[in-house]
């Protein structure tokens, strides 16, 4: 077995044993593209070897998806198959675990009319809202990982031969997910502990507000009184641990819906709906987005903000040091799963219920009363840099350094 095949085996095992942490007798649902077929077969094998009862693979294809956007009537983007939404809800309610393997080209839908993309995002968001709530309250185990497609690899490494670009992207993914180490499963346990040291510090501090300062950014974010910082591993309602994102370098919490004020500038492109949004800024007043500007993809960004009422507000505040492994790789992945773990980021849209005390068992009304935002979308965008300072503001108005020059200050 060569090194590449050995790493592929380790990656599949990591996704199954640490990502979703499949349990004996459990069903695994995999959402993936045809580009990842070889790797998916390996994941399926590892899942059954770990005791899975069944595996369900939902395949997609970038070429088929693009063809639909180019040729289907407008009405086709205003609906989402009801049977698919019901299937996901039913599987979640029966204890399945969910794995998404992302691989699409960041430019998949470049040139498609923004209204088509926005309409489909809305339709899918509404249809899958119950399933999304299950995910965002950690009712079920779920993970998002990645596998290269040729188009994505060529976007990341445009000056390489096609075969070389694929190999380079695979190697970058292996490194970012610690698969290149001798024992990735053990390495992830240690990484989980390291992130939880930051989580514990921030939860002990109970900051009332964060103040972000950087070129183009002057932003204050109020935190709900009962907010919780979390990071790396999560726990589902049955008590089983899982890793929602691989890689992950962040610790995160929820903002108070109406407590965000000022302007924040992006520091990396946002890949959204098969398009890139780049060099943009977002301005808030009392939590609500009141203005956006972008050098590229401004219309896409405006339609994202207009998805529903909740998409005019933030749902996540995440801290990632600029010296994180992914940032230090100096690779721009054009993929949020990786790029968000190289940079402090925020998320437009829904908040995670588990980021507030008792939130996993709260109703939508109770979550709203505690300052959490609800939306049919959740989109991260990157704002961190080596020039970013963040202060934690206490209830008495005193300030303490949380970040200095893009890195932890404690």
């Amino acid at each position: 077995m060569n090194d590449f095949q050995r790493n592929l085996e380790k990656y599949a095992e990591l996704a199954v044993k640490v990502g979703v942490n499949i349990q004996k007798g459990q069903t695994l649902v995999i959402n993936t593209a045809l580009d990842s077929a070889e790797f998916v077969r390996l994941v399926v094998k590892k899942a059954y070897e770990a005791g899975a009862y069944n595996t369900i693979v939902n395949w997609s294809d970038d070429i088929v998806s693009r063809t639909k956007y180019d040729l289907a009537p407008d009405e086709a983007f205003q609906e989402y198959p009801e049977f698919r939404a019901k299937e996901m809800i039913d599987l979640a309610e029966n204890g399945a675990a969910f794995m998404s393997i992302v691989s699409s080209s960041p430019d998949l839908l470049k040139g498609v009319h923004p209204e088509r993309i926005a309409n489909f995002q809305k339709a899918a968001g509404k249809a899958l809202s119950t399933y999304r709530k299950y995910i965002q309250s950690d009712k079920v185990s779920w993970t998002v990982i990645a596998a290269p497609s040729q188009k994505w690899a060529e976007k990341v490494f445009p000056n390489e031969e096609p075969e070389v670009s694929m190999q380079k992207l695979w190697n970058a993914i292996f490194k970012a997910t610690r698969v290149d180490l001798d024992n990735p499963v053990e390495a992830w346990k240690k990484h989980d502990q390291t992130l939880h040291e930051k989580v514990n510090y921030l939860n002990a501090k109970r900051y009332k507000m964060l103040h972000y300062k950087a070129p183009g950014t002057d932003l204050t974010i109020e935190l709900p009184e009962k907010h919780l910082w979390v990071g790396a591993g999560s726990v589902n309602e049955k008590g089983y641990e899982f890793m929602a994102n691989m890689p992950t370098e962040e610790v995160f919490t929820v903002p108070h819906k109406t407590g965000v004020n000022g302007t924040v500038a992006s520091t990396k492109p946002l890949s959204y709906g098969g398009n890139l949004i780049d060099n943009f800024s977002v301005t808030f007043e009392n939590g609500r987005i009141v203005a956006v500007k972008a050098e590229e993809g401004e219309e896409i960004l405006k339609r994202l903000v207009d998805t529903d009422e909740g998409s005019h507000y933030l749902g996540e505040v995440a801290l990632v040091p600029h010296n994180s492994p992914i940032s230090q790789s100096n690779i721009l992945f054009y993929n949020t799963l990786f790029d968000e773990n190289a940079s402090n980021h925020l998320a437009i849209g829904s908040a995670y219920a588990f980021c507030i005390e008792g939130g996993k068992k709260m109703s939508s009304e109770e979550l709203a009363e505690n300052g959490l935002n609800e939306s049919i979308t959740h989109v991260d965008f990157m704002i961190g840099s080596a020039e970013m300072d963040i202060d934690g503001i206490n209830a008495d108005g005193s300030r303490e350094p949380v970040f200095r020059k893009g890195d932890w200050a404690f």
Side-chain angles (χ1 to χ4, degrees), residues 226-247:
K226 296 180 181 179
H227 73 274
L228 291 173
W229 289 91
V230 298
S234 303
V235 179
N236 72 14
E237 70 172 6
K238 293 184 178 178
Y240 296 119
E241 295 181 351
F242 65 95
M243 198 70 61
N245 287 353
M246 302 182 81

Side-chain angles (χ1 to χ4, degrees), residues 262-298:
T263 298
V264 64
S266 70
T267 52
K268 289 179 181 290
L270 167 59
S271 178
Y272 173 73
N275 283 267
L276 288 178
I277 306 168
D278 200 6
N279 291 325
F280 61 94
S281 65
V282 185
T283 300
F284 300 83
E285 287 181 10
N286 298 322
R288 188 176 176 85
I289 295 172
V290 294
V292 297
K293 295 179 182 177
E295 287 185 14
E296 180 181 352
E298 185 172 297

